[in-house]
Amino acid sequence: MTEKQENILNTALKLFATKGYTNTSTSLIAREAGVSEGLIFRHFGSKDKLLDELVNLGICDMEKAIAPLIEEVDPNKILSDILDFILHVVRNDLEKWQLQMTLKYQSPEIAKKYHSSKVIMQMNEIIENAFRKLNYPNPKAETKLFMLIIGALFTILPNEDEIDQESFINFIKSKYNI
Amino acid sequence: MTEKQENILNTALKLFATKGYTNTSTSLIAREAGVSEGLIFRHFGSKDKLLDELVNLGICDMEKAIAPLIEEVDPNKILSDILDFILHVVRNDLEKWQLQMTLKYQSPEIAKKYHSSKVIMQMNEIIENAFRKLNYPNPKAETKLFMLIIGALFTILPNEDEIDQESFINFIKSKYNI
DNA sequence: TTTGCAAGTAAGTGATTACTCACATAGGTA
DNA sequence: TACCTATGTGAGTAATCACTTACTTGCAAA
């Protein structure tokens, strides 16, 4: 992985996440990344495959992020950690994760691949297990709602100031008694 | 409003909602609507203004939809009716409402206009008032969460079968004791 | 030293984009 | 009848799109 390759990936990630996939041209990516447009196609083949590559990298990041949760036994800590993680991401790593979360509006086919990936299934399992341990009557639906809330947080939190972000996360925690 | 004008509006609404704004060309709209491409610009000026027009019509629909809620006094009925309305929309009028709900991924500027429109503020008020009547300790945050859930439902419900749709809505109702 | 190959570029390609313009057609009014 | 205006069209426009091609450059192995 050369420096220019990384430039392309970082730039594309930023632009896809902020402007959207179809709204971002390959010529703009090249210009912002400081490379010739042809290089994008030399390394990644097509604009589609470039997005695909970013999603794959996102899946890797996701795997690293949930790794500590797999061994965690306290269900309350699991839910709490996830919400803290969201807050951390929105403040520090937004672009990287926003792309994954808004993927369904960028490219439905690639989104499908992502949402049926092993990590997402694993994430589901971890959360469902937590709700089961906590004796929630309907852990499956509870998980679906929790995942829905997490995803939507990425679309509203970035527009709020830090205080509101934190107090809203704390409010959600209180709804789950954590 | 001539028949061809309405064709353009209906077709654009369908395509913007399903394919996305930037992914829908004016030539495709014209072809699907059975009119010449020039007519779109004669009547609406630009692709942007066409979207704007659709959003304005959406705001009108929204006003009609929440009108009955303004006079409703039972807070539980308000929340319940809103969730039922979501279910009804997803099943019968999806395209029309999906555009509004996914607007932030289509055109951030126009989305801003929509989300700061009078109707949305009113909707917020109605829900917040309901939570206040029900003595929820934090009605403002509760409203934000409720709106967040409603918005996100438009992105996940359409992919599920009718039984799952209904049971998930009922699950959410049960979370609010309705 | 020579060879070979990956990295990188500049200048293209045809297709498609949003949009314009000259013109045709109809229906109502003076 | 003559004229006007709104509705509508088809063939354009320049710009931009994703992508290709012919061509360097730099570096490492033979």
Side-chain angles (χ1 to χ4, degrees):
Chain A
M1 180 82 68
T2 62
E3 192 192 327
K4 300 214 170 190
Q5 262 183 73
E6 285 190 0
N7 277 355
I8 293 170
L9 283 172
N10 292 334
T11 308
L13 177 62
K14 187 185 77 186
L15 292 173
F16 288 167
T18 53
K19 287 169 58 81
Y21 176 73
T22 46
N23 235 339
T24 302
S25 68
T26 50
S27 72
L28 178 63
I29 297 171
R31 209 180 316 135
E32 299 256 304
V35 301
S36 66
E37 196 177 352
L39 194 60
I40 294 175
F41 295 92
R42 155 125 311 160
H43 283 311
F44 302 101
S46 72
K47 192 187 171 189
D48 251 328
K49 286 184 190 160
L50 174 58
L51 175 60
D52 197 56
E53 180 67 25
L54 287 172
V55 171
N56 287 335
L57 291 173
I59 289 177
C60 285
D61 287 331
M62 186 78 153
E63 280 166 359
K64 284 178 208 151
I66 69 164
L69 295 178
I70 296 174
E71 286 149 33
E72 179 59 55
V73 288
D74 179 0
N76 279 319
K77 179 128 200 322
I78 289 175
L79 300 179
S80 176
D81 280 359
I82 291 173
L83 290 169
D84 288 335
F85 179 69
I86 303 286
L87 191 60
H88 175 266
V89 163
V90 168
R91 287 179 177 177
N92 305 293
D93 264 326
L94 183 58
E95 283 153 5
K96 181 157 71 179
W97 296 85
Q98 202 168 25
L99 178 63
Q100 320 288 330
M101 293 299 168
T102 61
L103 212 52
K104 58 171 87 66
Y105 311 103
Q106 319 274 357
S107 166
E109 318 86 57
I110 294 184
K112 211 161 196 174
K113 173 188 165 184
Y114 174 71
H115 281 98
S116 61
S117 70
K118 205 179 140 195
V119 214
I120 296 292
M121 310 297 259
Q122 209 167 17
M123 183 85 172
N124 255 287
E125 260 177 55
I126 291 170
I127 297 173
E128 192 178 324
N129 233 326
F131 282 125
R132 214 178 292 280
K133 269 194 194 171
L134 291 167
N135 292 318
Y136 275 70
N138 193 342
K140 272 199 197 307
E142 206 73 59
T143 302
K144 203 198 279 189
L145 179 60
F146 195 79
M147 294 282 279
L148 175 150
I149 291 172
I150 289 174
L153 280 174
F154 277 91
T155 73
I156 70 150
L157 282 192
N159 304 321
E160 311 205 348
D161 60 54
E162 298 216 346
I163 299 172
D164 289 343
Q165 287 171 359
E166 190 156 358
S167 67
F168 192 52
I169 291 285
N170 284 333
F171 169 73
I172 294 174
K173 282 186 185 176
S174 75
K175 296 284 285 182
Y176 289 101
N177 308 311
I178 48 181
Chain B
M1 180 83 67
T2 62
E3 193 191 327
K4 300 213 171 189
Q5 263 183 73
E6 284 190 1
N7 277 356
I8 293 171
L9 284 172
N10 292 334
T11 308
L13 177 63
K14 188 184 77 186
L15 292 173
F16 287 166
T18 53
K19 288 168 57 82
Y21 176 73
T22 46
N23 235 339
T24 303
S25 68
T26 49
S27 73
L28 178 63
I29 296 170
R31 208 180 317 133
E32 299 255 304
V35 302
S36 67
E37 197 178 350
L39 194 59
I40 294 175
F41 296 92
R42 156 126 303 155
H43 282 311
F44 302 101
S46 72
K47 193 186 171 191
D48 251 326
K49 286 184 191 160
L50 174 58
L51 175 59
D52 196 57
E53 180 68 24
L54 287 172
V55 171
N56 286 336
L57 291 174
I59 289 177
C60 285
D61 287 331
M62 187 78 152
E63 279 166 359
K64 282 179 209 151
I66 68 164
L69 295 178
I70 296 174
E71 286 148 34
E72 179 59 56
V73 289
D74 179 359
N76 278 319
K77 180 128 198 322
I78 288 175
L79 299 180
S80 175
D81 279 359
I82 291 173
L83 290 168
D84 287 335
F85 179 69
I86 303 286
L87 190 61
H88 174 264
V89 163
V90 167
R91 288 179 176 175
N92 305 292
D93 263 327
L94 184 58
E95 284 152 6
K96 182 157 67 180
W97 296 85
Q98 202 167 26
L99 178 62
Q100 322 286 331
M101 294 298 168
T102 62
L103 213 52
K104 59 169 88 64
Y105 311 103
Q106 319 274 357
S107 166
E109 318 87 57
I110 294 183
K112 211 160 196 174
K113 172 187 166 184
Y114 174 71
H115 280 97
S116 60
S117 69
K118 204 178 140 195
V119 214
I120 296 292
M121 311 296 261
Q122 207 167 17
M123 182 84 171
N124 256 286
E125 259 178 56
I126 291 170
I127 297 174
E128 193 178 323
N129 233 328
F131 282 126
R132 214 178 291 280
K133 269 195 196 170
L134 291 167
N135 292 318
Y136 276 69
N138 192 343
K140 272 200 195 308
E142 205 74 57
T143 301
K144 203 198 276 189
L145 180 60
F146 195 79
M147 294 283 278
L148 176 150
I149 292 172
I150 288 174
L153 281 173
F154 277 92
T155 73
I156 70 150
L157 282 191
N159 304 321
E160 310 204 348
D161 60 53
E162 298 217 345
I163 298 171
D164 289 342
Q165 287 172 359
E166 189 156 358
S167 68
F168 192 52
I169 291 285
N170 284 333
F171 168 73
I172 293 174
K173 283 186 184 174
S174 75
K175 297 284 286 182
Y176 290 100
N177 308 310
I178 46 182

